[in-house]
């Protein structure tokens, strides 16, 4: 269950941003998760609610997860395709010369909160 | 006070990645070839290391990752290889290793005369794949008894590895498993993956593995 380690990293990073941006209370943390990362959302939310009590100013925050589907670019025919299975073969020409152009993301997208006056 | 949205776009595991990059640089400078072995539990990682040490005399060190017990580290040291155990917690400990833990372990290890460093990651094909531990090469070990579908079920581990060792191939005659299908599934997830078929029992593939270690070490560390 790497979800716990991911949530811990989110809070550690968000804490630094909160201080830098002079935010008092965080209401929302938006993250982007590519389909390549096999995270279980229910476990992410469970860890988030558990850990937020440990971080000052995050006690009332919520986690918002945006999922990104896997997209590949074929270096043979040049077409991009969204794939639903982890088979990185171009569905147009059958080439294996593909690269992932979306779906690898594991990012904090934004923080919302009240700014100190 | 007013509500404000701060756009961030920062990698969640960025801190781990930074330490991993630093480890890769430092071990390259020390001319130590560093490999991270990932697999399901029981695929034969420890046996692979002990068999490797029988072929390469000296110069190997192993960082063992387990949630509990020092059993694998004991097998390694009993084979005459230096080992350092990381236990992630007696109950419900983390199921992967992170770069900062490897960094801390390396601070306690005498790396003099070490040429090859193995991290034997915790047996699990999901979590270890998420965390860069700074290795020069990620190796995924897949035993034939696990069936054909594992590369498709755990794509990140196979996508983030450069070599796949298909282990326990001596058991193939007793299994309803197609080696061809295992290999095509690996290639569909990672077309660039090198594959070595290996049986630690019969010794098949060990020579190819040792040659891989030798040539990759020279290539990556730019040795003569």
């Amino acid at each position: 269950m790497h979800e716990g380690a991911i949530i811990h990293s989110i809070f550690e990073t968000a804490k630094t941003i909160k201080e830098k941006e002079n935010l008092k209370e965080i209401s929302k943390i938006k993250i982007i998760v590519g389909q390549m990362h096999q995270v279980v959302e229910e476990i992410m939310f469970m860890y988030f609610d558990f850990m937020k009590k440990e971080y000052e100013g995050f006690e009332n925050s919520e986690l918002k997860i945006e999922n990104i589907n896997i997209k590949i670019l074929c270096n043979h025919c040049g077409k991009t395709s969204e794939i639903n299975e982890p088979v990185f073969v171009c569905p147009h020409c059958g080439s294996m010369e593909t690269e992932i152009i979306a779906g690898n993301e594991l990012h904090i997208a934004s923080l919302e909160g009240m700014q100190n006056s | 006070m007013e509500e404000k949205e701060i756009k961030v776009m920062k990698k969640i595991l960025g801190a781990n990645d930074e330490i991993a990059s630093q480890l890769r640089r430092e071990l390259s400078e020390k001319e130590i070839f560093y490999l991270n072995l990932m697999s399901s539990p029981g695929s034969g990682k420890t046996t692979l290391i002990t068999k490797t040490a029988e072929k390469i005399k000296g110069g190997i060190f192993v960082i063992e990752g387990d949630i509990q017990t020092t059993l694998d580290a004991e097998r390694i040291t009993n084979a005459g290889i230096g080992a350092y155990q990381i236990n992630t917690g007696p109950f419900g400990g983390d199921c992967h290793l992170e770069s900062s833990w490897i960094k801390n372990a390396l601070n306690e290890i005498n790396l003099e005369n070490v040429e090859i460093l193995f991290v034997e990651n915790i047996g699990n094909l999901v979590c270890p794949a998420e965390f860069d531990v700074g290795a020069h090469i990620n190796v995924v070990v897949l035993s034939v008894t696990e069936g054909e579908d594992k590369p498709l079920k755990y794509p990140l581990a196979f996508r983030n590895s450069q070599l796949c060792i298909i282990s326990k191939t001596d058991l193939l005659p007793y299994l309803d498993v197609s080696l061809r299908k295992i290999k095509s599934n690996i290639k569909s997830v990672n077309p660039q993956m090198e594959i070595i078929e290996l049986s630690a029992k019969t010794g098949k593939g060990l020579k190819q593995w040792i040659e891989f270690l030798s040539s990759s070490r020279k290539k990556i560390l730019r040795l003569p």
Side-chain angles (χ1 to χ4, degrees):
Chain A
M1 285 204 290
H2 54 304
E3 286 84 356
I6 290 172
I7 295 293
H8 180 254
S9 296
I10 290 171
F11 278 120
E12 287 298 312
T13 309
K15 188 175 79 172
T16 313
I17 298 161
K18 174 181 166 283
E19 283 161 15
K20 191 180 153 206
E21 298 290 337
N22 197 25
L23 295 172
K24 193 170 187 286
E25 267 198 36
I26 302 296
S27 56
K28 197 181 282 178
I29 301 178
K30 282 189 199 164
I31 65 165
I32 294 177
V33 179
Q35 210 189 341
M36 284 298 289
H37 301 277
Q38 293 176 306
V39 299
V40 181
E41 286 196 4
E42 288 79 4
I43 299 175
M44 293 281 277
F45 290 126
M46 185 193 78
Y47 273 112
F48 189 88
D49 287 340
F50 180 71
M51 284 189 204
K52 70 182 183 185
K53 298 166 199 153
E54 306 293 320
Y55 288 86
E56 197 186 335
F58 287 89
E59 296 90 341
N60 298 313
S61 61
E62 61 165 328
L63 178 68
K64 178 115 176 77
I65 301 175
E66 184 189 344
N67 291 299
I68 306 283
N69 291 338
I70 302 172
K71 231 183 229 178
I72 56 170
L73 166 69
C74 177
N75 290 324
H76 185 70
C77 71
K79 290 185 176 156
T80 58
S81 322
E82 205 167 277
I83 56 169
N84 298 318
E85 288 181 344
V87 174
F88 301 92
V89 177
C90 176
H92 299 284
C93 72
S95 172
M96 284 185 153
E97 291 171 38
T98 60
E99 56 185 287
I100 298 174
I101 54 170
N104 257 331
E105 302 81 357
L106 191 60
H107 290 100
I108 298 181
S110 66
L111 253 64
E112 283 176 39
M114 301 300 280
Q115 195 164 34
N116 278 322
S117 47
Chain B
M1 284 200 291
E2 59 174 292
E3 183 89 359
K4 192 180 171 186
E5 183 179 12
I6 312 283
K7 300 276 181 201
V8 182
M9 267 312 162
K10 213 171 160 72
K11 281 175 88 173
I12 291 172
L13 301 177
N16 178 78
D17 292 353
E18 272 178 37
I19 297 170
S21 299
Q22 183 196 342
L23 286 177
R24 216 167 357 253
R25 271 196 311 275
E26 286 175 6
L27 288 164
S28 295
E29 281 164 16
K30 289 178 178 156
E31 296 188 347
I32 295 171
F33 185 37
Y34 171 18
L35 300 100
N36 173 33
L37 303 186
M38 297 185 284
S39 77
S40 306
S43 66
K45 297 187 294 300
T46 313
T47 303
L48 177 69
I49 294 170
T50 56
K51 291 287 177 184
T52 306
E54 285 174 15
K55 300 279 178 191
I56 303 172
K57 307 284 182 200
I60 295 178
F61 195 93
V62 184
I63 296 176
E64 273 294 336
D66 281 297
I67 296 177
Q68 288 195 88
T69 81
T70 55
L71 293 170
D72 284 354
E74 285 162 26
R75 282 176 62 196
I76 296 286
T77 49
N78 287 342
I81 314 163
Y84 182 97
Q85 179 75 54
I86 298 176
N87 278 136
T88 59
F91 298 104
D94 277 304
C95 49
H96 62 272
L97 295 176
E98 295 184 21
S99 58
S100 59
W101 307 344
I102 305 293
K103 187 183 171 188
N104 292 342
L106 288 174
N107 286 336
E108 295 184 29
I109 297 167
N110 179 8
L111 291 172
E112 204 179 331
N113 300 322
V114 173
E115 292 182 354
I116 299 176
L117 172 70
F118 287 110
V119 159
E120 186 180 338
N121 219 311
I122 294 170
N124 175 348
L125 277 175
V126 183
C127 313
E130 293 283 354
F131 296 84
D132 185 358
V133 290
H136 293 116
I137 283 188
N138 286 330
V139 180
V140 61
V141 182
L142 175 66
S143 59
V144 292
T145 52
E146 291 168 60
E148 298 146 351
D149 55 2
K150 295 302 169 290
L152 304 177
K153 284 186 173 176
Y154 308 103
L156 199 62
F158 288 84
R159 191 77 190 179
N160 286 350
S161 297
Q162 291 75 45
L163 171 71
C164 179
I165 291 183
I166 303 176
S167 64
K168 306 188 187 182
T169 54
D170 53 292
L171 295 176
L172 277 169
Y174 310 103
L175 304 168
D176 293 327
V177 165
S178 157
L179 184 61
R180 189 190 54 78
K181 186 71 183 161
I182 294 176
K183 286 160 78 171
S184 74
N185 282 343
I186 293 167
K187 287 286 185 183
S188 69
V189 174
N190 185 353
Q192 275 81 43
M193 183 86 93
E194 284 195 50
I195 297 174
I196 296 176
E197 298 164 30
L198 191 142
S199 163
K201 189 94 175 164
T202 66
K204 186 198 160 208
L206 269 176
K207 189 167 174 258
Q208 199 186 342
W209 160 240
I210 301 297
E211 281 168 4
F212 172 88
L213 285 175
S214 172
S215 61
S216 304
R217 178 173 173 266
K218 282 181 188 164
K219 191 175 155 194
I220 287 167
L221 300 179
R222 295 178 186 158
L223 301 173

